Amino acid sequence: MSLPERDTDPLDPYPQLGEQAAESALRPGSLAEFRGQPRVSDQLGLVLDAARHRGTVPEHVLLSGPPGLGKTTLAMIIAAEMGVPLRVTSGPAIQHAGDLAAILSGLTEGEVFFLDEIHRMSRPAEEMLYLAMEDFRVDVVVGKGPGATAIPLEIPPFTLVGATTRAGLLPGPLRDRFGFTAQLDFYDTEALEQILRRSADLLGIELGAAAAQEIASRSRGTPRIANRLLRRVRDYAQVRSDGRLTPQVAAAALELYEVDPLGLDRLDRAVLDALCSRFGGGPVGITTLAMAVAEEVETVEEVAEPFLVRQGFLVRTPRGRMATPRAWSHLGLTRPGNLPDLFSEGD
């Protein structure tokens, strides 16, 4: 299920309407420029160097991890490093095996085929992909019923780069056909600062170390969010200040956009406030919680909840969601003494 459009939330890790051009302008073009995932960069660099040394196409690559961490960027880098074209599509766009056959038959030798949201591909197309990945051919079925005939169609060697935010939904046979699998992790503040300084240079703006740290610390470990906040801080500095991105200007701009020092936004605080103030800290079901904050269940579950759980503000239990002592403290509320002592500040 796709998420509803949320083009006003600066902390939404999913791409927003109209920002594709801005994102493309800031993407690194090589592994040397790609920051924040040193383990993945080193491993992927070795795979590409070995393929160049042998004169073959690189093995198929599976990239998994939360949205906004650089999966699409890495696919573009693979094509750029190998000096080959890039073909881009997504799982939901391939509903029939014929759709996939048409794409594969049009590939050139060595081309990188980037399949985003690969876990959402239809089952018939998925089964066709198995043969294409292993033997570089597809069987095109001509006719129907008993008279149907499968005609093998050879396709040139290519590299499939699959991206997914839900690696657990991929069937085992598909995962096993990837020669290299990488799990992208959230970025630390230092890596985000490096990304922000590079982006600021490309945008032609001056960004000091303190201002970069201010933005990076509120970016939820996600480069897409960091670059989005940088653009909005830049706008604030140009319109309401003298154009300089100082720590004070950055803090004022992020306060305007309701991004607090820990990276929580309006939705995050609304979820915690409803959980603590209306439901006594929980447990409460996700549907009830979403209704309390007037949001879609998918938005609360996919956008707000992962960050709140990761930062220790909320936990998921078999009976529902529960607020931790850190949530009560962050909201400035006193946790009732009669609540079960399931958590402690040191956990």
Side-chain angles (χ1 to χ4, degrees), residues 274-275 279 281-289 319-322:
L275 189 55
F279 303 109
V284 61
I286 186 65
T287 302
T288 302
L289 193 56
R319 297 177 58 198
R321 277 63 175 173
M322 295 187 67

Side-chain angles (χ1 to χ4, degrees), residues 18-39:
E19 70 174 3
Q20 290 85 355
E23 280 197 348
S24 297
L26 300 179
R27 292 186 192 277
S30 66
L31 284 174
E33 294 180 315
F34 191 79
R35 296 286 184 266
Q37 305 283 343
R39 174 181 52 83

Side-chain angles (χ1 to χ4, degrees), residues 134-157:
E134 283 192 332
D135 300 331
F136 298 114
R137 71 180 179 90
V138 293
D139 290 336
V140 179
V141 179
V142 179
K144 297 182 179 180
T149 303
I151 302 177
L153 176 65
E154 299 294 328
I155 56 177

Side-chain angles (χ1 to χ4, degrees), residues 220-221 262-264 268 303-313:
R220 302 164 80 117
L262 295 184
L264 277 69
D268 301 319
V303 176
E305 191 176 74
F307 179 71
L308 295 176
V309 171
R310 195 170 75 248
Q311 296 300 312
F313 290 105

Side-chain angles (χ1 to χ4, degrees), residues 39-40 43-44 47 59-63 177-182:
R39 174 181 52 83
V40 172
Q43 293 174 352
L44 184 57
V47 170
E59 295 182 280
H60 302 302
V61 176
L62 177 63
L63 304 172
R177 283 169 168 79
F178 286 96
F180 174 72
T181 300

Side-chain angles (χ1 to χ4, degrees), residues 64-261:
S64 64
L69 300 189
K71 296 184 292 295
T72 301
T73 298
L74 279 175
M76 295 179 175
I77 287 175
I78 291 172
E81 294 273 354
M82 299 303 297
V84 297
L86 175 70
R87 186 75 59 93
V88 180
T89 190
S90 65
I94 301 178
Q95 295 301 313
H96 307 283
D99 300 334
L100 180 62
I103 295 174
L104 293 175
S105 61
L107 296 176
T108 58
E109 184 169 356
E111 190 167 352
V112 173
F113 176 33
F114 177 51
L115 185 51
D116 199 9
E117 297 184 272
I118 190 173
H119 61 277
R120 296 177 60 189
M121 186 171 49
S122 68
R123 180 54 61 87
E126 179 185 293
E127 293 175 352
M128 174 179 283
L129 190 58
Y130 294 162
L131 188 61
M133 294 174 69
E134 283 192 332
D135 300 331
F136 298 114
R137 71 180 179 90
V138 293
D139 290 336
V140 179
V141 179
V142 179
K144 297 182 179 180
T149 303
I151 302 177
L153 176 65
E154 299 294 328
I155 56 177
F158 69 98
T159 298
L160 173 66
V161 178
T164 177
T165 58
R166 308 285 294 276
L169 297 183
L170 287 180
L174 181 56
R175 285 198 305 270
D176 293 343
R177 283 169 168 79
F178 286 96
F180 174 72
T181 300
Q183 169 69 41
L184 274 64
D185 301 319
F186 287 99
Y187 293 58
D188 58 29
T189 300
E190 182 179 353
L192 288 177
E193 289 177 31
Q194 295 177 10
I195 292 171
L196 285 168
R197 286 195 291 271
R198 176 184 177 275
S199 297
D201 289 340
L202 293 174
L203 293 172
I205 56 180
E206 185 176 343
L207 181 68
Q213 198 278 333
E214 184 72 32
I215 299 172
S217 64
R218 306 189 190 205
S219 299
R220 302 164 80 117
T222 306
R224 174 177 289 144
I225 293 175
N227 284 328
R228 185 183 297 147
L229 293 181
L230 174 64
R231 295 195 301 271
R232 299 199 176 175
V233 170
R234 173 201 59 185
D235 295 343
Y236 182 95
Q238 291 174 346
V239 174
R240 299 194 178 181
S241 186
D242 59 3
R244 293 184 302 163
L245 271 63
T246 64
Q248 294 76 20
V249 168
L254 296 175
E255 182 178 350
L256 175 66
Y257 286 108
E258 301 182 280
V259 180
D260 74 14

